[in-house]
Amino acid sequence: MKRLIVTSLFFASALAVSAQDVATLRSPDGRLSMSLSCRNSSAQYSVAYDGKTILDNSPLGLKTDVADFSTGLESAAIKVDTVAFNYQSKVLKKSDIKVKATHAVWRLNRNGVPAFDLVIMLKNNDIAFRYEMLRQPAANKGDSTFCATIKDDQTHFNMPTGTTTFLSAQMPGGTGWARTAPSYELPYFADRPTGDNANGAGFIFPCLFKTPNGWALISETGVTSAYCASHLVCENGGSYKIANPIESDYNYNGTSAPGIPLPGCTPWRTITVGTDLAPIAETTIPWDFVQPLYEPSKQYTYGAGTWSWIIGFDESVNYKNQREYIDFTAKMGYASVLVDNWWDTQIGRDSIAALSKYALSKGVSLMLWYNSNGYWNDAPQTPRNIMNNIIARRREMAWMKSIGIRGIKVDFFGSDKQQTMQLYEDILADANDFGLEVIFHGATLPRGWERMYPNFIGSEAVLASENLHFGDDFCRQESYNATLHPLIRNAVASMDYGGVTFNDYFNTANDTTIWGGHRVTSDIFQMAVAVLFQCPLNHLALYPRVTKDNEPWKLEFLKNVPTLWDDIKLIDAYPGKYLILARRHAHTWYVVAINATGAPLKRTLSLPMLKCGITLYSDDTNLKGSMKEIKPSKKSTYEINVPHDGAAILVGKE
Ligand code: CA
């Protein structure tokens, strides 16, 4: 990465606009601004876009065991310059990312002693800021404090009157099925008023708000074992603040209050702002200011894959079915088969080695499921008690490497505590030593991890496709949920959703004779999901026996649809209603439109990027799909008419 310092300015506090107002920082294009002030000995900020308020004045500061750094504060100095650099990634929504930001370091004193620097990055549509805490004089003269515990983060996000919310509640630890909560699997509710605090538990990141003057997506990034993951709580009205993990996470093991060395820093808090939702769908703020934490031990590869569990459930985790999936996966030209829970007892280690050898002979490799447990929930699924212990884990990983396993899916973490962040990081670092890729389920939002940990693939951290198996209610919500994820959850991190099926029912009989939700979305919708949800190694819910009965052009689409993307453009969307999104792989654009409005969605789309070789996949009013090649439009406009629960897809070359 090349960092260029373009300009450098220095303001002493004497140059501040007034005693209260310290500075107004502006994005490189001047449209996004962040005003910093000190009022009543508290540090505050507000955010505006085109001069119109996005966030009202909001307090800053941390309460620690060393001191209360949310009060007694005064502005000491602020230094402002500009940073610009590029970076590349294979696994993100864009492959070549250009970053230009206004960079500020605001020094705050407490009772005349330097307390912390608030480091701020202001891009055209994104703000990232973090606290860099300084060593403090100790009670004994001459000594100083070398560490601190963050008891309460006072960082607020005060939403103006008239804001509505698009939020998913935090699950209190130790609750839910087999005490596995938080599993980060509650639904998002669209366009709710502010003021509710989800029965005291607050809300998971990312949090989307529609303010009267524009959209704001609030999240955090750069979380490692050096801190906890946080969430937002609503104190009253439109006032939201950062909260430490809930005491009962991890079955009450580990502390809720993260510890840091001094000097030391918090993760980045991020705010992505736009008058429409494009800056949110297209943001790269989770990755811009984090760094790879280790070198990849090998060149990791990506692609599509399959998994039997979503249709066949636990019974499908047997030698015969997995071999069938390997054959099918090879036929589709995919990379990976994910073997889910109970493989150790239902297949056995020797047979897994034989399956892995068979898969490799067909150009496919296996991912193996593991329980993260441990001592923090009652989930009985095995293998257990391996991934939580360094000795057992590394021994297991050496065995996996010896039989050619691609990677692991580790489930049931159930905690945002710093101790759990340590476990995530330890699994990732060890897996890299053995050349293994990592997917997390029952897991918190990954916060910048695609760039920080080079063998990290993606996490669930969403009410994912398994719920389509569990019931019709979720099936009826499938299109509604799909209009939300690219604008919220999947906007800030790869999402291991595990969707895309042609089954009418999520069971092996594909009918009502056995348990399994009834799909209501169209086949074209299912194909669109492969484009909508981004994950570099994407396991699809295809069932070989059902899939072979489908029209060849549907399978051709799924054989060719990429899992790695070079660019993204949001065309139009309203979360909870409809979504029209384009992704580019090399020179091919995939434009997908889905509809959850309850009525037909008619649009004339301006798509100048489609120059030749254009194919339109669309649904009729009965959700029956068809495919046709169409001529490039002279005006670059294309009509779509998408029925409720259906989709339209345009594929073409630029
Ligand atoms: Ca799950």
Side-chain angles (χ1 to χ4, degrees), residues 185 441 460 466:
E185 289 176 307
H441 267 236
E460 184 184 34
E466 63 192 35

Side-chain angles (χ1 to χ4, degrees), residues 517-562:
H518 179 202
R519 173 165 67 98
V520 299
T521 55
S522 72
D523 287 358
I524 306 288
F525 178 97
Q526 293 297 315
M527 290 153 59
V529 165
V531 178
L532 280 176
F533 299 164
Q534 176 264 328
C535 191
L537 182 65
N538 200 10
H539 292 97
L540 309 182
L542 297 173
Y543 182 48
R545 265 179 278 159
V546 167
T547 305
K548 79 173 170 31
D549 296 334
N550 275 87
E551 291 100 322
W553 55 265
K554 291 183 188 169
L555 291 186
E556 270 320 294
F557 178 92
L558 289 179
K559 280 179 184 172
N560 294 321
V561 66

